[in-house]
Amino acid sequence: MDSLRGKVAIVGAADTEVGVVPHMSATQLCVDAGLRAIEDAGISKDQIDGLITCNSFAEPFMYHAEAIAEYMQIFPRVCLGVNTGGGTTFSALHHAASAILSGMCKTVLITMADSLKSGLSPEQAMSMQVSAGHAQFELPYGPSVPSLYALIAKAHMEKYGTTAEQFAAISVACRKHASLNPTAQMRKPITVEDVVNSRMIADPLHLLDCSLISDGGSAVILTSAERAKDFPNEPVYILGVGEGHGHEHISQARSLTISAAVEAGQRAYEMAGLGPEEMDFAQLYDCFTPTVLIELEDLGFCKKGEGGAFVENGAIELGGKLPVNTHGGLLSHCHPGNPGSMFALTESVLQLRHQAGERQVPGAEVGLVHGQGGIMSSHTTLILGRDRV
């Protein structure tokens, strides 16, 4: 299962301004991210022959990728819009790499953005939050997205004795990393006490257990490993990729404490020929603190049920056993919806180029990036490296 290993590389990566960006629409942010990545790769937009985007909540198009191509005046051979929630980024990368290896295209731009903070009215935002449930078995009871993730948190607490303070340690670590990131939306340090004393959103999740609401966009450019040496930046190679899909609606989940991250991680490790113990960092989807705990366990960084003990002792902070979300994550850097995990990808590129400044993981050679969409529904794991093998 090594068909992709070391054969495709990321040669451009860039983010837009994030946080509250009222002077740019979601479409403008998407294009801006793409143009920044093209500049980072040292190429012209005419060299892009593959384009992948995800649709926007604030400014949707029936054919989003085609609309962005039109706006940018590029004419790709492959033009694809995707939407698997937070897992969109890395499943898109999987398909982009496959397109490159099959000869469908040579240079793929993946660009995603949204304006959840500035582009939606309060009513639109609330409608989005309460529309994710199953029409028959969930929506009649009025659950919001935080309440559905609260089920997962509660299940882990009941089964393994996990505490609110342990969940809070994840927010604290992310904020520490964000304090070192000049582009992060929230940089003021917080404590465990701050988290558990913040306003309750959906028991047991407090305000600071929940990700931000943001504007912003991010983009990467992929090409074959053979062509990557012709680009100005050091390539970052895709060593492994795996997907796992467990359900669409949380009421149909086989388990609330074990996710399809298990399968996604195993497939990525197998392709890369590496294991969790060899990762120098991990960027894990952190829309809510319990997702990080379950991902740490399911991806093999600690045993099932031991995630709470793992995070409360500083293991996921810079200088710890496994630095997690070194840019600040969705909890502190930014979260513009479906594109949110893109920033974990561009952060990983910076880490592996050794360009992350104060938050650099010393000597980082290999890292894991994981995205999930829906309510712990669809999962994709990427393993990235400075070297092809």
Side-chain angles (χ1 to χ4, degrees):
M1 188 58 185
D2 61 353
S3 59
L4 286 176
R5 184 172 62 204
K7 296 179 181 178
V8 175
I10 299 171
V11 293
D15 301 334
T16 69
E17 180 183 352
V18 304
V20 184
V21 192
H23 55 280
M24 297 184 77
S25 69
T27 299
Q28 288 173 314
L29 286 167
C30 191
V31 171
D32 184 50
L35 292 175
R36 288 172 184 247
I38 288 169
E39 182 180 6
D40 183 67
I43 60 176
S44 71
K45 65 185 178 69
D46 296 333
Q47 293 171 264
I48 300 296
D49 61 357
L51 175 67
I52 300 179
T53 72
C54 74
N55 217 332
S56 160
F57 283 107
E59 199 170 17
F61 292 98
M62 184 173 291
Y63 307 109
H64 190 271
E66 287 82 354
I68 298 300
E70 177 183 81
Y71 196 114
M72 296 181 71
Q73 282 296 284
I74 60 177
F75 306 94
R77 297 172 62 184
V78 173
C79 197
L80 177 66
V82 296
N83 185 21
T84 54
T88 293
T89 305
F90 309 137
S91 60
L93 215 76
H94 192 182
H95 296 298
S98 299
I100 290 168
L101 289 184
S102 71
M104 293 174 65
C105 50
K106 293 181 178 180
T107 309
V108 180
L109 168 64
I110 302 174
T111 184
M112 302 182 184
D114 215 337
S115 299
L116 296 194
K117 188 70 174 178
S118 301
L120 295 177
S121 68
E123 293 76 19
Q124 288 173 316
M126 182 55 67
S127 176
M128 185 180 72
Q129 285 293 317
V130 299
S131 62
H134 190 289
Q136 182 177 359
F137 300 118
E138 295 170 19
L139 286 183
Y141 302 96
S144 63
V145 169
S147 72
L148 297 175
Y149 278 95
L151 294 174
I152 294 168
K154 203 69 166 178
H156 205 280
M157 297 172 89
E158 292 292 330
K159 189 168 185 177
Y160 299 113
T162 311
T163 66
E165 288 76 14
Q166 289 171 331
F167 288 137
I170 295 166
S171 284
V172 171
C174 286
R175 186 62 64 87
K176 283 185 178 180
H177 300 159
S179 73
L180 303 175
N181 184 353
T183 68
Q185 184 174 347
M186 302 295 288
R187 300 186 63 200
K188 182 181 178 181
I190 55 175
T191 65
V192 168
E193 290 72 26
D194 290 331
V195 179
V196 298
N197 290 326
S198 62
R199 177 165 54 92
M200 185 68 76
I201 300 298
D203 189 18
L205 300 179
H206 300 84
L207 177 64
L208 294 178
D209 286 301
C210 305
S211 55
L212 302 174
I213 300 172
S214 316
D215 306 328
S218 187
V220 295
I221 292 175
L222 279 69
T223 194
S224 66
E226 287 72 22
R227 296 183 69 239
K229 61 182 180 292
D230 298 328
F231 290 74
N233 290 304
E234 188 168 356
V236 171
Y237 297 98
I238 300 174
L239 304 181
V241 57
E243 299 187 34
H245 305 277
H247 57 271
E248 161 62 357
H249 301 99
I250 193 65
S251 61
Q252 311 306 309
R254 292 170 291 177
S255 170
L256 292 179
T257 57
I258 301 173
S259 75
V262 173
E263 292 87 354
Q266 287 173 346
R267 290 161 184 159
Y269 291 137
E270 182 181 358
M271 183 184 293
L274 298 168
E277 68 283 353
E278 295 170 274
M279 300 300 111
D280 295 314
F281 61 82
Q283 316 291 358
L284 305 180
Y285 199 82
D286 59 332
C287 52
F288 299 90
T289 52
T291 65
V292 175
L293 211 66
I294 290 174
E295 288 162 352
L296 283 167
E297 296 171 349
D298 289 351
L299 293 166
F301 294 113
C302 58
K303 293 181 180 179
K304 180 52 67 177
E306 296 182 3
F310 186 82
V311 301
E312 69 181 347
N313 295 317
I316 63 171
E317 296 180 10
L318 285 164
K321 182 179 180 180
L322 180 76
V324 170
N325 296 348
T326 50
H327 59 314
L330 306 175
L331 289 164
S332 284
H333 176 261
C334 76
H335 189 15
N338 288 341
S341 50
M342 282 292 289
F343 299 92
L345 182 57
T346 53
E347 171 70 10
S348 298
V349 171
L350 289 178
Q351 288 288 345
L352 292 170
R353 288 180 181 174
H354 296 173
Q355 296 175 346
E358 287 186 83
R359 62 188 189 278
Q360 179 65 50
V361 176
E365 297 289 329
V366 182
L368 180 146
V369 196
H370 183 84
Q372 67 89 18
I375 313 298
M376 293 297 278
S377 307
S378 295
H379 295 256
T380 307
T381 305
L382 286 172
I383 296 174
L384 306 174
R386 283 170 59 87
D387 296 316
R388 292 183 64 177
V389 294

